[in-house]
Amino acid sequence: MNAHPEVTGFYEARTGSVQYVVADPATGDCAIIDPVLDYDEKSGATATIEADRILNFVADRGYRVQWILDTHPHADHFSAADYLRRKTGAPAAIGEKVVEVQKLWNGFYNREMPADGSQWDRLFAEGDSFSVGTIPARVMFSPGHTLASVTYVIGDAAFVHDTLFMPDSGTARADFPGGNAAVLWRSIQAILALPDDTRIFTGHDYCPDGRPPRWESTVAEQKRENPHVAGMDEAGFVATREARDKTLPMPKLILHALQVNTNAGRLPEPEANGRRYLKIPLDLLDAAWD
């Protein structure tokens, strides 16, 4: 059994997001992880440029899409899970704690949307297993950034999204509604308990000092080089993370994205005039005024 999947990252520069195609070279089966639906907040326009780029890659390689996976309901981009599910027929999945995020944000948006996770084909619990072709995969519950974050361990590759960034960039923030720095620390420790040669694939890169985008490291590199991890204990991490978070503005798309992503990437239904509308709650989040 080949436990070393082929991993191809697709960098989306507008939001600094990394999307993945994870394939079993023996069978051509693959999973798509954290795909982006293009959205321009200035014009309100949506597009499928990124998702179609992935579909074209899959077609060129002759892969068969077996899964469409999101690590959590994203706050900085729209998920293309619904679009890709309709295009490929593959099931969409996310962690089961998404129902808690749905309940939280249903209240914020004052909406009546099912908060039972039924928008996805499968809700994964901690320790659940699945496969990509012949490659075994399992789910690790990784909260802290959000209530619902999970890590997908597929063969020797771990897809951690908003927990660990590249070693020169530290870790993800923990100040969103439902986030918690101490919980994030414990999730990171569980990831770093994986074998040292486990490949770590992060979901964002913001190119510090203008370097080219990067998204792959190893557990050993993270333990040795990440300043939020190396030589740190929980108390130090929490203090560092919370101080840093106080300086960060909210993602510019958080109020746009969560109403889409808590609905499995489905856009709002058209209204009587045939147009779709987003709903933005005022004075919900604290602003970082200039």
Side-chain angles (χ1 to χ4, degrees), residues 41-97:
E41 71 278 8
K42 298 181 180 67
S43 67
T46 62
T48 59
I49 298 166
E50 288 295 320
D52 289 335
R53 178 161 70 121
I54 291 173
L55 289 175
N56 289 336
F57 172 82
V58 167
D60 288 345
R61 292 292 183 95
Y63 291 159
R64 182 180 72 88
V65 180
Q66 195 173 14
W67 292 99
I68 300 162
L69 307 174
D70 269 310
T71 51
H72 67 291
H74 307 279
D76 49 12
H77 67 262
F78 289 8
S79 171
D82 183 61
Y83 173 75
L84 290 172
R85 176 170 55 181
R86 288 184 281 111
K87 295 291 286 188
T88 66
I94 199 168
E96 66 175 357
K97 297 297 185 181

Side-chain angles (χ1 to χ4, degrees), residues 199-215:
R199 294 180 290 163
I200 298 291
F201 293 95
T202 191
H204 283 294
D205 190 65
Y206 300 114
C207 306
D209 299 320
R211 65 155 172 73
R214 297 169 51 209
W215 48 80

Side-chain angles (χ1 to χ4, degrees), residues 169-181:
S169 299
T171 57
R173 64 194 300 169
D175 61 333
F176 294 161
N180 183 288

Side-chain angles (χ1 to χ4, degrees), residues 98-109 115 147 176-179:
V98 71
V99 300
E100 302 302 325
V101 181
Q102 288 179 317
K103 293 172 185 175
L104 180 67
W105 285 87
N106 275 0
F108 291 156
Y109 291 121
L147 291 167
F176 294 161

Side-chain angles (χ1 to χ4, degrees), residues 10-19 50 53 205-207 213:
F10 296 82
Y11 186 70
E12 197 278 305
R14 183 188 292 269
T15 62
S17 300
V18 189
Q19 314 154 89
E50 288 295 320
R53 178 161 70 121
D205 190 65
Y206 300 114
C207 306

Side-chain angles (χ1 to χ4, degrees), residues 233-250:
D233 60 12
E234 180 175 330
F237 174 83
V238 170
T240 298
R241 186 67 266 165
E242 290 182 346
R244 172 64 175 153
D245 288 349
K246 289 178 181 178
T247 71
L248 300 175
M250 280 288 137

